[in-house]
Amino acid sequence: MGDVLWTPPADVLQRSRIGNYLRWLREHRGLDFADYDELWRWSVTDLDAFWRSIWDHFEVVAHTPPTATLTDAGLPGTRWFPGATLNYAQNVLRMPGRADDDPVVIAHGQTRAPVTLTAAELREQVRRVAAGLRRLGVVAGDRVAAYAPNIPETYVLLLATSSLGAIFSSCAPEFGTRSVTDRWQQIEPKVLVAVDGYRYGDKPVDRRGEVAAIRAALPSLEHTVGIAYLDPAGTPIEGALGWHELAAPTDEPLTFAPVPFDHPLYVLYSSGTTGLPKPIVHGHGGILLEHLKMLALHHDLGPSDRFFWFTTTGWMMWNFLVSGPAVGAAIVLFDGNPGHPDLGALWRLAEETGTTYFGTSAPFLLACRKAGLVPAEIADLSALRGLGSTGAPLPAEGFTWVYETVGDRLQLQSLSGGTDVCTGFVGGVPLLPVHAGEITCRALGARVEARSADGTPVVGELGELVITAPMPSMPVGFWNDPDGRRYREAYFEVYPGVWRHGDWITINSRGGCVITGRSDATLNRGGVRLGTAEFYSVVEGLDEVVDSVVVHLEDDEGGAGELLLFVVLAEGLELDDDLRRKICRELRTSLSPRHVPDEIHQVRAVPRTLSAKKLEVPVKKILTGTPVDNAAAKGALANPESLTAFAAFAQRRTPTTDTPTPA
């Protein structure tokens, strides 16, 4: 891995928030660290001192102080900050460094005109909506569900719900009825807040039918509140209160319920591609501390920043984004189609909103690159000093494209983490250079290691990504899992006492990381494990290929098995032997002969989750004879119809007709 594309400025320690934190450690703790590696090692070995320093440095507002930092460093079962009571919403609404009339929520979209909320307006809306929820009988522990997009109302609802000690859960309105009810029947919400519809690009999408079906499937609901978003003057959601009624003027003061550190804040969900989505419960204190650390020390966000991440309310990056005001950053919300009217839309949004940190996904950056876009030519991006990429590994050519076409002075931070911890545990930091194709470091407090097949830690070679010390934002548990069995099975069954995340990672000698795909989707050819990410980087780098999915079907007899590649081609193209040969040649040259597929087939679409992740495992199951309905929960897919092509292909195949593709 390679070239250095960015190096920290000489005065980084004077200008950055992590530099300020290092000075604070020296003055208040008598600790001095020579470099980031030394700081990281301290943060993952002296958990007590590190996490207490985060609490103290960021001056967490607590109602009662903790009696300890953690009770037990073993996994699972660690209890953090016992005895402490606090409230996530109170700490977010502190908005350090922001005056009452400073804009803190800047919301753009394709359904209505832009909306800006100042710090005072945000607090006022949260005060009113909290009072409205109280009138509906919402008390601590009740669940409030939002079927709503990335708009200010959804954010206000999250903060109002958590101010009461009630528990929030959101689904993006592009989720179909089944996907939503699979999630919310598990948590039994008391109140549903839903939009009537939304606009995606220039296409109106009416969701009143889905809202009616969701309500009918949730007998626990006592109240529904409708947001007239798509059509403010149209037919409201039948029998629902209006948002204006929920947020009606009131004299009730804004108060914050003091709750224990691990009191549930919100429920997030696994993608639910196989079986019911896992309801992952996150706590007030763990999320607050993790996000303070990550947003300030790693992303270097503060009161001079405008922080944007392209996300929907169905992805954990929304929960990450909306903690921005806790470190003083204003947040930029966007609801709509990021490719409308063209791929320049979000870059122009960055200029219009004065965005200083632009977060997106690796597939979006690669799509811009493939389209030949030069963002710096279509938008003034001079305010931009940070760019974040997640959702999939970003290959070296994606890094190079950013520095050539977006800006050469910004810091590109590729990060990876998950819904399970609601953060990135590997990412960037202002103190270290950016190398092409490489995630810069392991995050403070995240003891990430690579493990070989026999469980020993490895450096410089591919291994299972594991976390070997507790983090405060690990889940409080799963909903309705009283003995913790499902939680333990999800993360701790392979390596007792060690969190197995399910990704392949290589950690090099300087601490840089490369993630090469899901470990359950590994290509294992002749005993050599190959990650899928590098495969896609080559195949989708070809002009002819729009998308692809690769699966390895193992041979029960211990042979090489079969490597099958499915490609979506640019409009009007058909897969022929010339293109097959070209793909094989590229893979052999760029990667190795082991990467050359046995067969290549054309499909119309690659199955993806609602948060756009490829589904190699369900495809593999279908190809090995599992019926489509058993291989994947269709409601969790953005394009469930894409699975039928693989089912038809599986039916046509017989073991005797396999012939290797000519290379």
Side-chain angles (χ1 to χ4, degrees), residues 558-581:
E562 288 178 283
L563 195 61
L564 304 181
L565 172 63
F566 298 89
V567 291
V568 180
L569 298 182
E571 206 168 331
L573 292 185
E574 291 292 329
L575 182 65
D576 58 18
D577 284 346
D578 283 347
L579 184 51
R580 283 190 175 93
R581 277 191 283 269

Side-chain angles (χ1 to χ4, degrees), residues 147 169 171 175-189 213-214 217-218 267-280 479 486 610 629 632-637:
Y147 188 58
S169 185
C171 283
F175 281 33
T177 307
R178 175 68 188 275
S179 286
V180 175
T181 55
D182 277 354
R183 286 161 171 77
W184 287 346
Q185 281 172 345
Q186 299 185 68
I187 64 163
E188 301 176 298
I214 291 163
L218 296 174
V267 183
L268 304 183
Y269 303 87
S270 64
S271 57
T273 50
T274 51
L276 280 180
K278 295 191 291 282
I280 299 165
W479 191 264
R486 289 176 69 203
L610 290 159
D629 290 342
K634 287 187 179 176
L637 271 65

Side-chain angles (χ1 to χ4, degrees), residues 288-585:
L288 175 66
L289 280 194
E290 174 59 37
H291 289 180
L292 288 171
K293 175 210 78 179
M294 204 70 195
L295 294 169
L297 303 184
H298 285 273
H299 296 307
D300 200 32
L301 293 167
S304 61
D305 285 296
R306 293 192 168 185
F307 176 41
F308 167 74
W309 210 291
F310 175 72
T311 178
T312 73
T313 55
W315 188 24
M316 51 74 48
M317 288 310 297
W318 183 79
N319 304 75
F320 188 75
L321 165 69
V322 299
S323 285
V327 297
I331 53 174
V332 178
L333 310 181
F334 174 77
D335 170 46
N337 177 352
H340 178 83
D342 55 59
L343 280 169
L346 294 184
W347 303 106
R348 291 189 291 269
L349 174 75
E351 174 185 351
E352 195 178 338
T353 55
T355 291
T356 61
Y357 193 107
F358 180 102
T360 183
S361 67
F364 174 78
L365 295 174
L366 294 172
C368 289
R369 173 181 177 266
K370 194 153 198 172
L373 201 67
V374 181
E377 289 181 1
I378 61 165
D380 177 0
L381 301 175
S382 53
L384 212 58
R385 57 184 192 81
L387 194 151
S389 169
T390 191
L394 184 68
E397 58 269 23
F399 279 70
T400 307
W401 176 83
V402 165
Y403 281 98
E404 287 175 351
T405 67
V406 181
D408 57 7
R409 300 222 307 272
L410 57 79
Q411 185 184 10
L412 171 58
Q413 298 185 325
S414 176
L415 60 148
S416 185
T419 305
D420 327 73
V421 285
C422 199
T423 188
F425 38 64
V426 293
V429 72
L431 305 178
L432 294 176
V434 173
H435 293 261
E438 192 173 300
I439 296 171
T440 302
C441 64
R442 292 169 281 186
L444 295 175
R447 194 164 173 173
V448 174
E449 295 178 3
R451 288 271 168 112
S452 66
D454 64 3
T456 52
V458 291
V459 174
E461 57 184 88
L462 193 66
E464 280 268 7
L465 192 162
V466 298
I467 306 174
T468 60
M471 294 170 65
S473 71
M474 284 175 173
V476 173
F478 290 170
W479 191 264
N480 205 8
D481 180 29
D483 61 0
R485 183 179 58 82
R486 289 176 69 203
Y487 178 57
R488 287 192 303 275
E489 282 175 357
Y491 309 111
F492 299 102
E493 210 160 50
V494 175
Y495 305 112
V498 170
W499 173 294
R500 172 185 172 267
H501 196 67
D503 283 334
W504 288 125
I505 189 169
T506 305
I507 302 169
N508 62 30
S509 55
R510 61 169 172 260
C513 307
V514 177
I515 289 181
T516 40
R518 297 291 297 167
S519 55
D520 55 8
T522 306
L523 316 171
N524 191 345
R525 297 278 271 176
V528 177
R529 295 187 302 218
L530 314 171
T532 53
E534 53 194 353
F535 201 99
Y536 297 138
S537 173
V538 173
V539 174
E540 291 164 29
L542 297 170
D543 292 339
E544 297 90 340
V545 181
V546 175
D547 203 358
S548 65
V549 63
V550 63
V551 293
H552 180 234
L553 306 183
E554 288 89 356
D555 177 9
D556 294 339
E557 307 295 315
E562 288 178 283
L563 195 61
L564 304 181
L565 172 63
F566 298 89
V567 291
V568 180
L569 298 182
E571 206 168 331
L573 292 185
E574 291 292 329
L575 182 65
D576 58 18
D577 284 346
D578 283 347
L579 184 51
R580 283 190 175 93
R581 277 191 283 269
K582 181 177 179 180
I583 292 169
C584 291
R585 191 165 58 243

Side-chain angles (χ1 to χ4, degrees), residues 99-345:
D100 277 357
D101 56 357
D102 280 353
V104 292
V105 179
I106 300 153
H108 285 242
Q110 292 159 347
T111 306
R112 66 179 176 202
V115 175
T116 297
L117 297 180
T118 64
E121 287 167 341
L122 177 61
R123 287 192 194 101
E124 171 64 6
Q125 289 210 14
V126 172
R127 182 182 75 83
R128 289 183 178 197
V129 171
L133 290 172
R134 226 181 262 116
R135 285 195 300 275
L136 299 183
V138 173
V139 297
D142 285 342
R143 277 77 66 207
V144 174
Y147 188 58
N150 185 10
I151 56 176
E153 290 92 332
T154 318
Y155 184 37
V156 167
L157 185 69
L158 161 62
L159 294 174
T161 300
S162 54
S163 76
L164 303 175
I167 303 163
F168 178 83
S169 185
S170 59
C171 283
E174 64 266 24
F175 281 33
T177 307
R178 175 68 188 275
S179 286
V180 175
T181 55
D182 277 354
R183 286 161 171 77
W184 287 346
Q185 281 172 345
Q186 299 185 68
I187 64 163
E188 301 176 298
K190 181 185 259 188
V191 174
L192 168 65
V193 177
V195 290
D196 55 345
Y198 57 93
R199 204 169 278 279
Y200 193 72
D202 53 12
K203 180 186 169 199
V205 183
D206 189 322
R207 289 320 241 179
R208 286 172 300 176
E210 282 73 12
V211 173
I214 291 163
R215 291 170 76 183
L218 296 174
S220 62
L221 281 183
E222 294 179 15
H223 302 280
T224 301
V225 178
I227 301 172
Y229 180 55
L230 176 62
D231 187 1
T235 311
I237 292 167
E238 196 179 329
L241 286 168
W243 176 261
H244 61 283
E245 294 172 85
L246 184 70
T250 173
D251 294 333
E252 276 193 51
L254 177 57
T255 58
F256 300 97
V259 297
F261 188 87
D262 56 3
H263 182 80
L265 168 63
Y266 40 60
V267 183
L268 304 183
Y269 303 87
S270 64
S271 57
T273 50
T274 51
L276 280 180
K278 295 191 291 282
I280 299 165
V281 183
H282 284 294
H284 277 244
I287 288 297
L288 175 66
L289 280 194
E290 174 59 37
H291 289 180
L292 288 171
K293 175 210 78 179
M294 204 70 195
L295 294 169
L297 303 184
H298 285 273
H299 296 307
D300 200 32
L301 293 167
S304 61
D305 285 296
R306 293 192 168 185
F307 176 41
F308 167 74
W309 210 291
F310 175 72
T311 178
T312 73
T313 55
W315 188 24
M316 51 74 48
M317 288 310 297
W318 183 79
N319 304 75
F320 188 75
L321 165 69
V322 299
S323 285
V327 297
I331 53 174
V332 178
L333 310 181
F334 174 77
D335 170 46
N337 177 352
H340 178 83
D342 55 59
L343 280 169

Side-chain angles (χ1 to χ4, degrees), residues 629-654:
D629 290 342
N630 296 351
K634 287 187 179 176
L637 271 65
N639 52 354
E641 70 289 345
S642 60
L643 294 175
T644 53
F646 295 96
F649 176 75
Q651 277 186 319
R652 289 198 306 271
R653 285 183 97 229
T654 60

